[in-house]
Amino acid sequence: MKTLKFLMVAFIATTVLSLQSCKSDDDGGDAGSASNGTVTASVDGASYTSDAMGTSVSQVTANGMTTTLITSNEFSSSRNITLTLQGVDAEGTYIIGGGANISIVASYIEANASNPTDTQIWSAPFDENASGEVNIVTITDSKIEGTFEFTARNPDDESTVSVTNGSFNLDL
């Protein structure tokens, strides 16, 4: 009976350790659900999937710091999500806002082509508090992949939007 108990405890411990080794923490987590060349998210509960032709990523290095700009457009609804990642060069979790040294910025835009002055823009961060995060799962010379979520505010009317379940899968 003691042998059976020992074997059961050993089996459970091995199973738990095996599952723990698959768990992601500071490595940026899982890659999300965006197909290659797109950005996906939920904006206040509404689905967002960028058009591959309207999605781009660019990197600029100046004074030893790299800035990555991810721009995505959903043409059918005239919506845009943009992420600016300054100094991000490794896998991990990066906070949007939360202090004086802001290096990650996000925005959500609803464009109005017939009246451009009526275009609505929500930005994050919008105060000294953290307003979201970007999780980089893969970053190489040829690819960037990860997830994001943020709450952004429109400075015109103080309204907010919640962008959740965001993911990107882009070739550099």
Side-chain angles (χ1 to χ4, degrees):
M1 187 68 160
K2 284 185 180 184
T3 303
L4 183 58
K5 260 188 182 173
F6 174 77
L7 289 174
M8 286 296 283
V9 169
F11 174 75
I12 291 170
T14 303
T15 303
V16 168
L17 288 173
S18 296
L19 292 175
Q20 273 299 93
S21 68
C22 295
K23 180 183 170 212
S24 62
D25 43 42
D26 288 341
D27 66 351
D30 69 39
S33 61
S35 59
N36 193 41
T38 66
V39 173
T40 62
S42 178
V43 180
D44 282 344
S47 178
Y48 173 96
T49 301
S50 70
D51 295 295
M53 289 191 66
T55 303
S56 66
V57 59
S58 61
Q59 287 186 324
V60 175
T61 301
N63 297 324
M65 182 171 299
T66 300
T67 300
T68 303
L69 177 65
I70 298 171
T71 302
S72 67
N73 293 288
E74 186 182 66
F75 294 129
S76 64
S77 64
S78 299
R79 300 186 299 167
N80 168 286
I81 292 176
T82 300
L83 302 171
T84 305
L85 316 170
Q86 185 176 15
V88 173
D89 59 3
E91 296 172 357
T93 300
Y94 298 88
I95 302 301
I96 298 172
N101 297 322
I102 298 170
S103 60
I104 311 296
V105 178
S107 66
Y108 170 71
I109 300 170
E110 291 181 355
N112 185 335
S114 61
N115 184 5
T117 61
D118 197 29
T119 294
Q120 299 297 304
I121 302 170
W122 291 263
S123 300
F126 50 85
D127 61 20
E128 69 280 351
N129 298 310
S131 57
E133 66 182 32
V134 177
N135 303 296
I136 304 298
V137 178
T138 303
I139 187 165
T140 66
D141 289 340
S142 61
K143 185 166 201 64
I144 186 165
E145 190 174 15
T147 62
F148 63 92
E149 63 179 32
F150 62 90
T151 300
R153 184 170 69 190
N154 184 323
D156 294 334
D157 62 9
E158 303 286 317
S159 66
T160 60
V161 295
S162 179
V163 179
T164 58
N165 300 315
S167 64
F168 51 88
N169 181 351
L170 305 168
D171 294 330
L172 291 169

